[in-house]
mmCIF file of all heavy atoms in Angstrom:
data_model
loop_
_atom_site.group_PDB
_atom_site.id
_atom_site.type_symbol
_atom_site.label_atom_id
_atom_site.label_comp_id
_atom_site.label_asym_id
_atom_site.label_seq_id
_atom_site.Cartn_x
_atom_site.Cartn_y
_atom_site.Cartn_z
ATOM 1 N N CYS Q 1 -71.075 -22.010 -79.556
ATOM 2 C CA CYS Q 1 -72.038 -22.461 -80.568
ATOM 3 C C CYS Q 1 -72.598 -21.265 -81.334
ATOM 4 O O CYS Q 1 -72.745 -21.320 -82.565
ATOM 5 C CB CYS Q 1 -73.147 -23.254 -79.909
ATOM 6 S SG CYS Q 1 -74.320 -23.995 -81.081
ATOM 7 N N VAL Q 2 -72.908 -20.167 -80.633
ATOM 8 C CA VAL Q 2 -73.442 -18.984 -81.307
ATOM 9 C C VAL Q 2 -72.393 -18.400 -82.252
ATOM 10 O O VAL Q 2 -72.702 -18.035 -83.400
ATOM 11 C CB VAL Q 2 -73.897 -17.942 -80.265
ATOM 12 C CG1 VAL Q 2 -74.227 -16.613 -80.942
ATOM 13 C CG2 VAL Q 2 -75.111 -18.450 -79.504
ATOM 14 N N GLN Q 3 -71.158 -18.299 -81.791
ATOM 15 C CA GLN Q 3 -70.104 -17.745 -82.643
ATOM 16 C C GLN Q 3 -69.796 -18.662 -83.832
ATOM 17 O O GLN Q 3 -69.425 -18.185 -84.907
ATOM 18 C CB GLN Q 3 -68.842 -17.513 -81.822
ATOM 19 C CG GLN Q 3 -68.985 -16.386 -80.805
ATOM 20 C CD GLN Q 3 -67.731 -16.193 -79.982
ATOM 21 O OE1 GLN Q 3 -66.798 -16.993 -80.057
ATOM 22 N NE2 GLN Q 3 -67.710 -15.123 -79.184
ATOM 23 N N PHE Q 4 -69.946 -19.973 -83.650
ATOM 24 C CA PHE Q 4 -69.675 -20.897 -84.751
ATOM 25 C C PHE Q 4 -70.792 -20.857 -85.793
ATOM 26 O O PHE Q 4 -70.535 -20.848 -86.998
ATOM 27 C CB PHE Q 4 -69.516 -22.319 -84.200
ATOM 28 C CG PHE Q 4 -69.371 -23.361 -85.271
ATOM 29 C CD1 PHE Q 4 -68.221 -23.438 -86.045
ATOM 30 C CD2 PHE Q 4 -70.410 -24.263 -85.514
ATOM 31 C CE1 PHE Q 4 -68.094 -24.399 -87.040
ATOM 32 C CE2 PHE Q 4 -70.289 -25.221 -86.510
ATOM 33 C CZ PHE Q 4 -69.133 -25.291 -87.275
ATOM 34 N N VAL Q 5 -72.028 -20.820 -85.332
ATOM 35 C CA VAL Q 5 -73.158 -20.813 -86.264
ATOM 36 C C VAL Q 5 -73.308 -19.453 -86.917
ATOM 37 O O VAL Q 5 -73.517 -19.339 -88.128
ATOM 38 C CB VAL Q 5 -74.455 -21.229 -85.539
ATOM 39 C CG1 VAL Q 5 -75.654 -21.108 -86.475
ATOM 40 C CG2 VAL Q 5 -74.336 -22.654 -85.016
ATOM 41 N N CYS Q 6 -73.212 -18.379 -86.081
ATOM 42 C CA CYS Q 6 -73.315 -17.009 -86.607
ATOM 43 C C CYS Q 6 -71.909 -16.422 -86.597
ATOM 44 O O CYS Q 6 -71.462 -15.899 -85.571
ATOM 45 C CB CYS Q 6 -74.274 -16.178 -85.774
ATOM 46 S SG CYS Q 6 -75.920 -16.901 -85.588
ATOM 47 N N GLU Q 7 -71.212 -16.517 -87.698
ATOM 48 C CA GLU Q 7 -69.803 -16.143 -87.721
ATOM 49 C C GLU Q 7 -69.598 -14.670 -87.436
ATOM 50 O O GLU Q 7 -68.567 -14.267 -86.911
ATOM 51 C CB GLU Q 7 -69.209 -16.500 -89.088
ATOM 52 C CG GLU Q 7 -69.240 -17.990 -89.390
ATOM 53 C CD GLU Q 7 -68.673 -18.289 -90.766
ATOM 54 O OE1 GLU Q 7 -68.334 -17.312 -91.466
ATOM 55 O OE2 GLU Q 7 -68.565 -19.483 -91.127
ATOM 56 N N SER Q 8 -70.587 -13.849 -87.755
ATOM 57 C CA SER Q 8 -70.414 -12.410 -87.545
ATOM 58 C C SER Q 8 -70.837 -11.955 -86.157
ATOM 59 O O SER Q 8 -70.724 -10.772 -85.836
ATOM 60 C CB SER Q 8 -71.224 -11.640 -88.602
ATOM 61 O OG SER Q 8 -72.619 -11.957 -88.483
ATOM 62 N N ALA Q 9 -71.351 -12.862 -85.341
ATOM 63 C CA ALA Q 9 -71.838 -12.487 -84.009
ATOM 64 C C ALA Q 9 -70.649 -12.244 -83.098
ATOM 65 O O ALA Q 9 -69.792 -13.117 -82.926
ATOM 66 C CB ALA Q 9 -72.731 -13.583 -83.438
ATOM 67 N N THR Q 10 -70.578 -11.051 -82.507
ATOM 68 C CA THR Q 10 -69.468 -10.698 -81.610
ATOM 69 C C THR Q 10 -69.921 -10.431 -80.187
ATOM 70 O O THR Q 10 -69.102 -10.463 -79.262
ATOM 71 C CB THR Q 10 -68.751 -9.445 -82.137
ATOM 72 O OG1 THR Q 10 -69.699 -8.366 -82.246
ATOM 73 C CG2 THR Q 10 -68.137 -9.722 -83.505
ATOM 74 N N GLU Q 11 -71.207 -10.134 -80.002
ATOM 75 C CA GLU Q 11 -71.651 -9.816 -78.650
ATOM 76 C C GLU Q 11 -71.756 -11.075 -77.813
ATOM 77 O O GLU Q 11 -71.937 -12.184 -78.311
ATOM 78 C CB GLU Q 11 -73.002 -9.108 -78.684
ATOM 79 C CG GLU Q 11 -74.127 -9.955 -79.284
ATOM 80 C CD GLU Q 11 -75.424 -9.205 -79.296
ATOM 81 O OE1 GLU Q 11 -75.497 -8.142 -79.941
ATOM 82 O OE2 GLU Q 11 -76.366 -9.692 -78.650
ATOM 83 N N GLN Q 12 -71.647 -10.873 -76.498
ATOM 84 C CA GLN Q 12 -71.686 -11.988 -75.577
ATOM 85 C C GLN Q 12 -73.133 -12.394 -75.294
ATOM 86 O O GLN Q 12 -74.018 -11.545 -75.212
ATOM 87 C CB GLN Q 12 -70.992 -11.622 -74.259
ATOM 88 C CG GLN Q 12 -69.489 -11.435 -74.394
ATOM 89 C CD GLN Q 12 -68.850 -11.168 -73.035
ATOM 90 O OE1 GLN Q 12 -69.544 -10.778 -72.098
ATOM 91 N NE2 GLN Q 12 -67.551 -11.382 -72.952
ATOM 92 N N VAL Q 13 -73.331 -13.691 -75.155
ATOM 93 C CA VAL Q 13 -74.662 -14.189 -74.799
ATOM 94 C C VAL Q 13 -74.833 -14.112 -73.283
ATOM 95 O O VAL Q 13 -73.854 -14.050 -72.534
ATOM 96 C CB VAL Q 13 -74.850 -15.644 -75.288
ATOM 97 C CG1 VAL Q 13 -74.795 -15.711 -76.804
ATOM 98 C CG2 VAL Q 13 -73.803 -16.559 -74.667
ATOM 99 N N VAL Q 14 -76.081 -14.107 -72.849
ATOM 100 C CA VAL Q 14 -76.471 -14.064 -71.426
ATOM 101 C C VAL Q 14 -75.537 -13.158 -70.620
ATOM 102 O O VAL Q 14 -74.815 -13.620 -69.737
ATOM 103 C CB VAL Q 14 -76.548 -15.482 -70.828
ATOM 104 C CG1 VAL Q 14 -77.714 -16.254 -71.411
ATOM 105 C CG2 VAL Q 14 -75.251 -16.277 -71.064
ATOM 106 N N PRO Q 15 -75.518 -11.855 -70.890
ATOM 107 C CA PRO Q 15 -74.551 -10.973 -70.209
ATOM 108 C C PRO Q 15 -74.774 -10.899 -68.702
ATOM 109 O O PRO Q 15 -73.801 -10.902 -67.928
ATOM 110 C CB PRO Q 15 -74.787 -9.617 -70.874
ATOM 111 C CG PRO Q 15 -76.171 -9.691 -71.438
ATOM 112 C CD PRO Q 15 -76.375 -11.108 -71.839
ATOM 113 N N LEU Q 16 -76.035 -10.819 -68.266
ATOM 114 C CA LEU Q 16 -76.282 -10.723 -66.826
ATOM 115 C C LEU Q 16 -75.889 -12.008 -66.112
ATOM 116 O O LEU Q 16 -75.280 -11.967 -65.028
ATOM 117 C CB LEU Q 16 -77.762 -10.417 -66.574
ATOM 118 C CG LEU Q 16 -78.175 -10.266 -65.103
ATOM 119 C CD1 LEU Q 16 -77.392 -9.154 -64.446
ATOM 120 C CD2 LEU Q 16 -79.672 -10.002 -64.989
ATOM 121 N N LEU Q 17 -76.194 -13.137 -66.716
ATOM 122 C CA LEU Q 17 -75.807 -14.412 -66.116
ATOM 123 C C LEU Q 17 -74.288 -14.538 -66.045
ATOM 124 O O LEU Q 17 -73.733 -15.029 -65.054
ATOM 125 C CB LEU Q 17 -76.406 -15.562 -66.933
ATOM 126 C CG LEU Q 17 -76.123 -16.974 -66.442
ATOM 127 C CD1 LEU Q 17 -76.616 -17.161 -65.010
ATOM 128 C CD2 LEU Q 17 -76.783 -18.002 -67.365
ATOM 129 N N ARG Q 18 -73.621 -14.053 -67.075
ATOM 130 C CA ARG Q 18 -72.153 -14.086 -67.064
ATOM 131 C C ARG Q 18 -71.601 -13.181 -65.969
ATOM 132 O O ARG Q 18 -70.623 -13.513 -65.290
ATOM 133 C CB ARG Q 18 -71.634 -13.663 -68.435
ATOM 134 C CG ARG Q 18 -70.147 -13.839 -68.630
ATOM 135 C CD ARG Q 18 -69.737 -13.260 -69.971
ATOM 136 N NE ARG Q 18 -70.330 -14.000 -71.074
ATOM 137 C CZ ARG Q 18 -69.758 -15.069 -71.633
ATOM 138 N NH1 ARG Q 18 -68.598 -15.507 -71.184
ATOM 139 N NH2 ARG Q 18 -70.347 -15.684 -72.645
ATOM 140 N N HIS Q 19 -72.248 -12.014 -65.772
ATOM 141 C CA HIS Q 19 -71.819 -11.093 -64.721
ATOM 142 C C HIS Q 19 -71.968 -11.735 -63.341
ATOM 143 O O HIS Q 19 -71.056 -11.645 -62.500
ATOM 144 C CB HIS Q 19 -72.642 -9.805 -64.800
ATOM 145 C CG HIS Q 19 -72.370 -8.844 -63.694
ATOM 146 N ND1 HIS Q 19 -71.344 -7.916 -63.729
ATOM 147 C CD2 HIS Q 19 -73.002 -8.648 -62.497
ATOM 148 C CE1 HIS Q 19 -71.351 -7.212 -62.613
ATOM 149 N NE2 HIS Q 19 -72.356 -7.627 -61.848
ATOM 150 N N VAL Q 20 -73.116 -12.367 -63.094
ATOM 151 C CA VAL Q 20 -73.326 -13.020 -61.799
ATOM 152 C C VAL Q 20 -72.364 -14.184 -61.628
ATOM 153 O O VAL Q 20 -71.853 -14.429 -60.521
ATOM 154 C CB VAL Q 20 -74.793 -13.491 -61.675
ATOM 155 C CG1 VAL Q 20 -75.004 -14.274 -60.393
ATOM 156 C CG2 VAL Q 20 -75.746 -12.305 -61.721
ATOM 157 N N GLN Q 21 -72.081 -14.879 -62.720
ATOM 158 C CA GLN Q 21 -71.157 -16.005 -62.626
ATOM 159 C C GLN Q 21 -69.742 -15.537 -62.292
ATOM 160 O O GLN Q 21 -69.013 -16.220 -61.591
ATOM 161 C CB GLN Q 21 -71.185 -16.763 -63.958
ATOM 162 C CG GLN Q 21 -70.240 -17.951 -64.047
ATOM 163 C CD GLN Q 21 -68.925 -17.579 -64.712
ATOM 164 O OE1 GLN Q 21 -68.905 -16.817 -65.671
ATOM 165 N NE2 GLN Q 21 -67.844 -18.099 -64.180
ATOM 166 N N GLU Q 22 -69.374 -14.352 -62.757
ATOM 167 C CA GLU Q 22 -68.017 -13.855 -62.506
ATOM 168 C C GLU Q 22 -67.906 -13.104 -61.188
ATOM 169 O O GLU Q 22 -66.933 -13.273 -60.448
ATOM 170 C CB GLU Q 22 -67.588 -12.943 -63.663
ATOM 171 C CG GLU Q 22 -67.449 -13.672 -65.003
ATOM 172 C CD GLU Q 22 -67.140 -12.713 -66.135
ATOM 173 O OE1 GLU Q 22 -67.177 -11.473 -65.879
ATOM 174 O OE2 GLU Q 22 -66.878 -13.183 -67.261
ATOM 175 N N ARG Q 23 -68.921 -12.256 -60.857
ATOM 176 C CA ARG Q 23 -68.801 -11.381 -59.688
ATOM 177 C C ARG Q 23 -69.780 -11.699 -58.568
ATOM 178 O O ARG Q 23 -69.684 -11.103 -57.495
ATOM 179 C CB ARG Q 23 -69.000 -9.924 -60.113
ATOM 180 C CG ARG Q 23 -68.030 -9.458 -61.182
ATOM 181 C CD ARG Q 23 -68.166 -7.970 -61.407
ATOM 182 N NE ARG Q 23 -67.283 -7.494 -62.457
ATOM 183 C CZ ARG Q 23 -67.145 -6.210 -62.797
ATOM 184 N NH1 ARG Q 23 -67.855 -5.279 -62.160
ATOM 185 N NH2 ARG Q 23 -66.320 -5.872 -63.770
ATOM 186 N N GLY Q 24 -70.720 -12.588 -58.826
ATOM 187 C CA GLY Q 24 -71.691 -12.911 -57.799
ATOM 188 C C GLY Q 24 -72.913 -11.996 -57.864
ATOM 189 O O GLY Q 24 -73.096 -11.227 -58.810
ATOM 190 N N ASN Q 25 -73.725 -12.046 -56.827
ATOM 191 C CA ASN Q 25 -74.957 -11.253 -56.765
ATOM 192 C C ASN Q 25 -74.623 -9.827 -56.325
ATOM 193 O O ASN Q 25 -74.840 -9.431 -55.182
ATOM 194 C CB ASN Q 25 -75.952 -11.910 -55.793
ATOM 195 C CG ASN Q 25 -77.299 -11.211 -55.800
ATOM 196 O OD1 ASN Q 25 -77.680 -10.585 -56.781
ATOM 197 N ND2 ASN Q 25 -78.006 -11.308 -54.690
ATOM 198 N N THR Q 26 -74.117 -9.041 -57.255
ATOM 199 C CA THR Q 26 -73.691 -7.680 -56.940
ATOM 200 C C THR Q 26 -74.891 -6.738 -56.930
ATOM 201 O O THR Q 26 -76.033 -7.135 -57.174
ATOM 202 C CB THR Q 26 -72.667 -7.202 -57.980
ATOM 203 O OG1 THR Q 26 -73.311 -7.148 -59.261
ATOM 204 C CG2 THR Q 26 -71.484 -8.148 -58.048
ATOM 205 N N THR Q 27 -74.605 -5.467 -56.690
ATOM 206 C CA THR Q 27 -75.659 -4.465 -56.733
ATOM 207 C C THR Q 27 -75.985 -4.104 -58.177
ATOM 208 O O THR Q 27 -75.205 -4.353 -59.094
ATOM 209 C CB THR Q 27 -75.224 -3.203 -55.981
ATOM 210 O OG1 THR Q 27 -74.049 -2.679 -56.613
ATOM 211 C CG2 THR Q 27 -74.934 -3.506 -54.520
ATOM 212 N N VAL Q 28 -77.172 -3.528 -58.365
ATOM 213 C CA VAL Q 28 -77.562 -3.067 -59.696
ATOM 214 C C VAL Q 28 -76.614 -1.966 -60.173
ATOM 215 O O VAL Q 28 -76.313 -1.858 -61.369
ATOM 216 C CB VAL Q 28 -79.025 -2.580 -59.673
ATOM 217 C CG1 VAL Q 28 -79.454 -2.048 -61.035
ATOM 218 C CG2 VAL Q 28 -79.962 -3.697 -59.218
ATOM 219 N N TYR Q 29 -76.115 -1.167 -59.244
ATOM 220 C CA TYR Q 29 -75.163 -0.096 -59.563
ATOM 221 C C TYR Q 29 -73.921 -0.674 -60.249
ATOM 222 O O TYR Q 29 -73.464 -0.162 -61.283
ATOM 223 C CB TYR Q 29 -74.793 0.633 -58.270
ATOM 224 C CG TYR Q 29 -73.802 1.754 -58.437
ATOM 225 C CD1 TYR Q 29 -74.234 3.069 -58.586
ATOM 226 C CD2 TYR Q 29 -72.430 1.515 -58.413
ATOM 227 C CE1 TYR Q 29 -73.323 4.103 -58.735
ATOM 228 C CE2 TYR Q 29 -71.517 2.536 -58.559
ATOM 229 C CZ TYR Q 29 -71.955 3.831 -58.716
ATOM 230 O OH TYR Q 29 -71.070 4.855 -58.866
ATOM 231 N N GLU Q 30 -73.382 -1.750 -59.678
ATOM 232 C CA GLU Q 30 -72.171 -2.351 -60.250
ATOM 233 C C GLU Q 30 -72.471 -2.972 -61.606
ATOM 234 O O GLU Q 30 -71.633 -2.947 -62.512
ATOM 235 C CB GLU Q 30 -71.629 -3.406 -59.285
ATOM 236 C CG GLU Q 30 -70.323 -4.036 -59.742
ATOM 237 C CD GLU Q 30 -69.747 -4.969 -58.705
ATOM 238 O OE1 GLU Q 30 -70.263 -4.970 -57.565
ATOM 239 O OE2 GLU Q 30 -68.782 -5.694 -59.031
ATOM 240 N N TRP Q 31 -73.664 -3.542 -61.793
ATOM 241 C CA TRP Q 31 -74.018 -4.144 -63.075
ATOM 242 C C TRP Q 31 -74.148 -3.082 -64.162
ATOM 243 O O TRP Q 31 -73.722 -3.287 -65.300
ATOM 244 C CB TRP Q 31 -75.317 -4.920 -62.907
ATOM 245 C CG TRP Q 31 -76.132 -5.109 -64.153
ATOM 246 C CD1 TRP Q 31 -77.336 -4.557 -64.444
ATOM 247 C CD2 TRP Q 31 -75.788 -5.897 -65.293
ATOM 248 N NE1 TRP Q 31 -77.787 -4.950 -65.674
ATOM 249 C CE2 TRP Q 31 -76.844 -5.788 -66.235
ATOM 250 C CE3 TRP Q 31 -74.690 -6.684 -65.634
ATOM 251 C CZ2 TRP Q 31 -76.832 -6.432 -67.457
ATOM 252 C CZ3 TRP Q 31 -74.692 -7.324 -66.866
ATOM 253 C CH2 TRP Q 31 -75.745 -7.208 -67.762
ATOM 254 N N ARG Q 32 -74.703 -1.923 -63.818
ATOM 255 C CA ARG Q 32 -74.926 -0.890 -64.822
ATOM 256 C C ARG Q 32 -73.666 -0.101 -65.132
ATOM 257 O O ARG Q 32 -73.444 0.296 -66.280
ATOM 258 C CB ARG Q 32 -76.020 0.053 -64.352
ATOM 259 C CG ARG Q 32 -77.405 -0.595 -64.333
ATOM 260 C CD ARG Q 32 -78.469 0.357 -63.828
ATOM 261 N NE ARG Q 32 -79.804 -0.246 -63.888
ATOM 262 C CZ ARG Q 32 -80.898 0.334 -63.421
ATOM 263 N NH1 ARG Q 32 -80.823 1.538 -62.855
ATOM 264 N NH2 ARG Q 32 -82.061 -0.282 -63.509
ATOM 265 N N ARG Q 33 -72.815 0.146 -64.115
ATOM 266 C CA ARG Q 33 -71.644 1.003 -64.314
ATOM 267 C C ARG Q 33 -70.340 0.234 -64.419
ATOM 268 O O ARG Q 33 -69.314 0.808 -64.805
ATOM 269 C CB ARG Q 33 -71.545 2.018 -63.188
ATOM 270 C CG ARG Q 33 -72.816 2.855 -63.035
ATOM 271 C CD ARG Q 33 -72.582 4.077 -62.233
ATOM 272 N NE ARG Q 33 -73.802 4.880 -62.085
ATOM 273 C CZ ARG Q 33 -73.827 6.094 -61.548
ATOM 274 N NH1 ARG Q 33 -72.700 6.647 -61.102
ATOM 275 N NH2 ARG Q 33 -74.970 6.741 -61.453
#
């Protein structure tokens, strides 16, 4: 919906939520690096 409404938007929405959804409750180290 964001990419359709804002055609120039390339960044991902909810990055931390997407990270947890893909890798689980990882360490802060893994999230930052």
Side-chain angles (χ1 to χ4, degrees):
C1 185
V2 170
Q3 291 179 352
F4 174 70
V5 175
C6 305
E7 297 179 357
S8 61
T10 58
E11 62 180 61
Q12 292 184 341
V13 296
V14 291
L16 181 59
L17 181 58
R18 188 186 295 272
H19 175 86
V20 175
Q21 178 264 321
E22 295 175 353
R23 302 188 182 184
N25 186 26
T26 64
T27 60
V28 178
Y29 179 95
E30 183 174 350
W31 155 249
R32 290 179 177 175
R33 304 197 180 188

